[in-house]
Each structure stands twice: as C-alpha cells, then as structure tokens.
C-alpha cells in the first residue's frame, strides 16, 4: 500500500477515536454487538429450523432463504429513494420494524405460507442496510468514518459469533420451544435500534436538501450509476462479493465437505476462526491502513483472499486428513483478515463519493451490487461443485481475485485522493472531517 506525497494521516488510538466520535456515533457503536447478538442466535440455524423442526423440505427451505435476498434486492431501489426523501432515520425505523415482525412470525410459523410471509418482511428489512450507512455517514464525518465502519464490522461479528455459540449450546431439534425462544429473542433485539432512533437519535433525520446549484433534473439511479467512479466501484463490489461472501456460506462449506473431506465440526471451527481474526485484527488493520489509498488496501485484500482460496484448494490434495482440516480452518482465518480490509474501505468510498442529498441512493446501489454478488455466487458454486468441478471452481475464484485487484487500480484513476482516503494531517481532520472532492460528485 502506498500513500500520496501529502503528510501522513494521524493514526488514532481506540481512546482518541472514541474521544472525537460524536455523541450520536457513540450511541450507535456502543450498542452494535448487543443488537447483533440476536441475529447470531438464529443465523446458523434457519435452514435446520425450517427443515428439522417445522418439517419443511430442504428444497423449499432453501428457496425461502433465497427469497429473502430476492425481496431485498427489489426493495433496495425504493428504499434508497425513500432515504433521500424522508431521511435515513425514518427508513431505518421502518426496516427495523419489518425485521422485528418478520422474525417474530417465523418463531411461530408452522406452514410454508407463514414462513414465506416472515421471509418477505425480513427481505424488506434489507432497506435498513443502506439507510443505516447513510445515517452513520450523516453523523460521522471525515477520516474517522472509515474507522467507524471498520470497528462496527468487528462488533457485528463479535455479536453474531457470541450469539451463535450461545444458540449452539441451547437449541435442540427435539425441543421446538428452544428455537421459538431464540427467534423471539432475535426479534426483541430489534427493539434496541428502534429505541435509539426514537430516543437519543430522534433529532437525527439523515436527510439533506438538494443544493441550489444542481441542474434540477431527477436524481435517477441510472444517472448515478453511469458516472465512471460509481460504475467501477459497483463492478468491484459485485465481483468482490461474488468471490467472497457469495462463496463463504455456500461454495466454501460444499467444497470443504465434498473435496476436502472436512467434518462439520471442522467447518464450525473455521467460522469461529473467521470471527476471532476479525475481532482481534480489525482495529490493528484500521491503524495500518489509515493514510493509505483505499484502492491499494483493496488490492492487498484481493491477494489475501487469493491466498485463502489457494489454501482451500490445496486441501483437496490430501482429503479427510488433519492437514486438510487445518487448511479448511486456515482458509477462514485468511478470509477474515481480508474482510478487515474490505469492510472499512468500500462503505467509506461510497459515502465520500455521495453528495449529502443523494446518500441514500448511493448506498442503495452499493447494497444492490453486494446482494447481487451474494445471489449469483452460491448458484455458480452449486452448479460447479455438483458437477465435481472443484479445481475449476478454485481457479475461477483466483481469477476473480485478480479481477478485483485490476478493478481497484482502475477505480483509483477515477476518484480523487480525498475520496481514496488521503487527507490533510491535522487534528481537525478527525474532529471536524475533511471536505469532499467536488469532481467526484455528479451535479444533480
């Protein structure tokens, strides 16, 4: 990674970051792990719950899971426009309420229509993601925004990881009430963000008025997405998600079981290693990447992920051995390390590119690209691994990592140094934030 010729940016300690973080940002960050604890209780067990507890066939259960993402993609566009029109707070409240009701319905669902209704509401709640990012960006300004996104990601993983451990020791398919309990607790956890938005953050609407110097034309998604900087960023996000998260929950477990011969326990330990690496390394990585070009960070991430996929591919040379088990766990350690570079940078670039009055639409486009990669990835993995094309599968992902690196360098030529994370070195950089580059914004 290399930085510009400008003075190196100040590197924050955790204490100094907390000191300059606005009060509203402290409210959001301090509750992240707790509210995600509920999500962690249910995330690993939904398919098991639908199939083994409620008696829904695996193919229908899988379709219901996919339906969440389909609805999420469909809701992203209207959600982004609503964020810009009504404010990120209002949309976050609506999305969180949909999640609460959806998960509560799922807790007592016994039929496919009931489960489908629950999944639909949970899919609609996907509008919360871009709205919440827009809300954060309206509160947290300047270089600390990248730090905030990174620390928040670590806390999300901490909450989900701890929740998964607790639920794994508690649920029992022979006692359906244990699953009802964790889903009701998941629903109740949504009262935390709702309470924040109705209480301490009720004055933060997350909406900006259209500047007087715009051309007056409608701010369509097409006009935003056709900007070279945005187009390259969206393509990079899609490919990175395809080779990353799109494979983590489908391609990786299938390869580990069919090709590596790993046990389900080893796969569980691999996910635990992923969470541990993220929680332990995220702030260290944030301090290392501060003052460096975000696009160069993404190139390093692509190299780390390529190493991860090579490691997993090598386990196929000695399947069902201790070496293969170690390789499966090491894969997720590498993968988690790469995540600590992806999660702070892409949201920060997106929100530094976005004019205040269009922040909802920019984040919605980013979310759609992310969800698109998450939908296509498992489909491709399923087809290839079902046809025993394990080597071709790994090769495809290695090529994909190379494409991510190329796209990152192409993006670097189309965004300003400020958007790319290079800011003047001064205390006010963190306390007040730095101005955004006008040449990276469309005149809407």
């Amino acid at each position: 990674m290399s930085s510009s010729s400008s003075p190196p940016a100040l590197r924050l300690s955790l204490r100094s970051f907390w000191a300059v973080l606005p009060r509203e940002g402290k409210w959001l960050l301090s509750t992240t792990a707790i509210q995600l604890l509920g999500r962690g209780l249910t995330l690993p067990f939904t398919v098991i719950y639908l199939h083994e507890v409620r008696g829904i066939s695996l193919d229908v259960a899988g379709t219901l899971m996919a339906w969440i993402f389909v609805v999420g993609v469909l809701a992203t566009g209207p959600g982004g426009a609503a964020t810009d029109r009504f404010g990120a707070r209002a949309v976050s409240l609506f999305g969180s309420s949909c999640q609460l009701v959806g998960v509560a319905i799922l807790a007592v669902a016994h039929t496919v229509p009931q489960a489908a209704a629950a999944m639909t509401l949970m899919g609609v709640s996907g509008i919360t993601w871009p709205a919440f990012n827009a809300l954060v960006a309206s509160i947290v300004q300047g270089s600390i925004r990248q730090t905030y996104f990174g620390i928040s990601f670590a806390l999300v993983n901490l909450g989900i990881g701890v929740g998964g451990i607790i639920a794994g020791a508690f649920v029992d398919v022979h006692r359906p009430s244990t699953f009802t309990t964790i889903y009701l607790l998941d629903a109740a956890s949504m009262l935390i963000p709702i309470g924040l938005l109705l209480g301490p953050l009720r004055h933060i609407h997350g909406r900006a008025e259209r500047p007087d110097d715009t051309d007056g034309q409608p701010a369509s998604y097409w006009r935003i997405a056709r900007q070279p900087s945005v187009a390259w960023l969206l393509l990079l996000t899609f490919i990175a998600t395809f080779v990353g998260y799109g494979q983590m929950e489908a391609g990786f477990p299938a390869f580990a079981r069919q090709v590596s011969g790993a046990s389900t326990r080893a796969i569980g330990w691999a996910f635990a290693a992923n969470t541990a690496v993220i929680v332990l390394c995220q702030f260290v990585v944030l301090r290392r990447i501060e003052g460096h070009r975000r696009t160069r960070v993404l190139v390093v991430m692509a190299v780390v992920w390529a190493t991860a996929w090579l490691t997993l591919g090598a386990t196929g040379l000695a399947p069902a051995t201790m070496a293969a088990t170690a390789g499966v766990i090491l894969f997720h350690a590498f993968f988690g390390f790469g995540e600590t570079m992806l999660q702070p940078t892409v949201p920060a670039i997106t929100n530094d590119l976005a004019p205040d009055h269009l922040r909802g639409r920019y984040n919605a486009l980013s979310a759609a690209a992310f969800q698109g990669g998450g939908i296509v990835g498992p489909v491709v993995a399923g087809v290839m691994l079902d046809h025993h094309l394990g080597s071709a599968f790994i090769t495809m992902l290695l090529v994909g990592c190379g494409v991510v690196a190329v796209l990152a360098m192409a993006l670097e030529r189309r965004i300003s140094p400020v958007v790319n994370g290079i800011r003047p070195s001064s205390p006010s950089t963190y306390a007040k934030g730095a101005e955004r580059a006008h040449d990276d914004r469309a005149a809407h």
Side-chain angles (χ1 to χ4, degrees):
M1 295 176 286
S2 64
S3 59
S4 71
S5 58
S6 61
L10 294 176
R11 285 177 168 80
L12 288 178
S13 66
L14 189 57
R15 178 178 296 179
S16 58
F17 165 75
W18 187 257
V20 299
L21 188 65
R23 180 174 62 88
E24 296 83 359
K26 292 176 181 176
W27 272 110
L28 289 174
L29 200 58
S30 61
T31 58
T32 296
I34 301 174
Q35 69 186 63
L36 267 297
L37 186 69
R39 188 74 184 103
L41 291 173
T42 61
L43 184 63
F45 303 106
T46 300
V47 170
I48 296 172
Y49 168 66
L50 292 173
H51 178 57
E52 298 189 36
V53 177
R54 297 308 185 195
I56 297 174
S57 64
L58 273 177
D59 57 342
V60 174
T63 301
L64 288 171
M65 293 291 291
W67 179 242
I68 296 178
F69 294 99
V70 172
V71 174
V73 171
L74 294 176
T76 295
T83 297
D84 291 332
R85 182 175 181 180
F86 302 110
R89 174 180 169 272
V91 175
S92 296
L93 268 172
F94 177 75
S96 297
S97 299
C98 286
Q99 178 73 7
L100 187 156
V101 176
V103 175
I105 292 174
L106 190 60
V108 296
H110 287 78
T111 66
V112 171
Q114 290 171 342
M119 298 299 193
T120 299
L121 285 171
M122 292 166 67
V124 171
S125 75
I127 63 175
T128 307
W129 175 16
F132 205 76
N133 276 355
L135 185 70
V136 169
S138 70
I139 295 172
V140 183
Q141 303 291 326
S143 293
I144 62 170
R145 183 181 290 162
Q146 174 174 284
T147 304
Y148 182 98
F149 282 126
I151 294 178
S152 177
F153 176 65
L155 292 175
V156 165
N157 277 270
L158 177 62
I160 290 177
V162 173
I165 293 172
I166 294 173
F170 174 71
V171 295
D172 184 348
V173 293
H174 301 296
R175 292 188 295 147
S177 61
T178 60
F179 284 87
T180 299
T181 298
I182 64 171
Y183 279 97
L184 289 177
L185 288 173
D186 186 7
S189 70
M190 297 312 300
L191 293 173
I192 296 175
I194 291 173
L196 285 176
L197 294 169
L198 292 176
L201 304 183
R202 62 185 180 278
H203 62 290
I204 304 294
H205 54 71
R207 183 183 65 252
E209 299 298 328
R210 180 190 296 271
D212 295 333
D213 58 354
T214 56
D215 60 14
Q217 297 184 27
S220 68
Y221 281 106
W222 173 245
R223 290 191 67 199
I224 296 172
R226 67 185 295 188
Q227 298 173 73
S229 55
V230 177
W232 284 96
L233 178 60
L234 293 178
L235 183 58
L236 186 154
T237 302
F238 175 83
I239 299 298
T241 306
F242 174 82
V243 302
Y245 294 105
Q247 308 300 337
M248 187 175 71
E249 294 184 9
F252 160 72
F255 188 96
R257 289 289 291 161
Q258 295 182 9
V259 182
S260 308
S263 66
T264 54
R265 177 172 294 185
I267 293 174
W269 278 110
F271 278 97
N274 175 273
T275 299
V277 167
I278 291 171
V279 172
L280 293 174
C281 295
Q282 183 66 85
F283 193 73
V284 175
V285 170
L286 285 169
R287 296 193 67 187
R288 291 290 299 168
I289 68 178
E290 183 62 54
H292 294 281
R293 296 183 185 274
R294 292 163 177 163
T295 47
R296 306 293 174 88
V297 176
L298 290 171
V299 170
V300 176
M301 179 214 74
V303 174
V304 172
W305 275 4
T307 303
W309 288 116
L310 271 174
T311 301
L312 184 64
T315 61
L317 300 176
T321 62
M322 288 297 295
T325 298
V328 165
I329 296 173
L330 189 59
F331 159 82
H332 248 311
F334 281 130
F335 188 88
F337 187 57
E339 289 181 82
T340 64
M341 302 177 203
L342 175 70
Q343 291 295 336
T345 51
V346 169
I349 293 173
T350 301
N351 283 281
D352 282 351
L353 273 175
D356 289 339
H357 69 292
L358 295 177
R359 201 175 299 285
R361 288 175 172 85
Y362 274 71
N363 279 285
L365 283 170
S366 178
F370 190 96
Q371 291 171 322
I375 292 172
V376 176
V379 173
V380 174
V383 171
M384 295 187 73
L385 295 176
D386 188 54
H387 288 81
H388 307 288
L389 299 175
S391 296
F393 173 72
I394 295 296
T395 300
M396 175 191 68
L397 297 178
L398 292 175
V399 171
C401 290
V403 172
V404 169
V406 171
L407 290 174
M409 296 309 299
L411 177 64
E412 182 174 304
R413 297 192 293 271
R414 291 165 174 84
I415 58 177
S416 72
V418 171
V419 171
N420 208 8
I422 305 300
R423 299 176 186 271
S425 177
S426 66
S428 61
T429 298
Y430 297 102
K432 300 178 182 179
E435 69 280 1
R436 301 178 187 86
H438 292 291
D439 57 343
D440 287 309
R441 297 176 174 179
H444 293 283

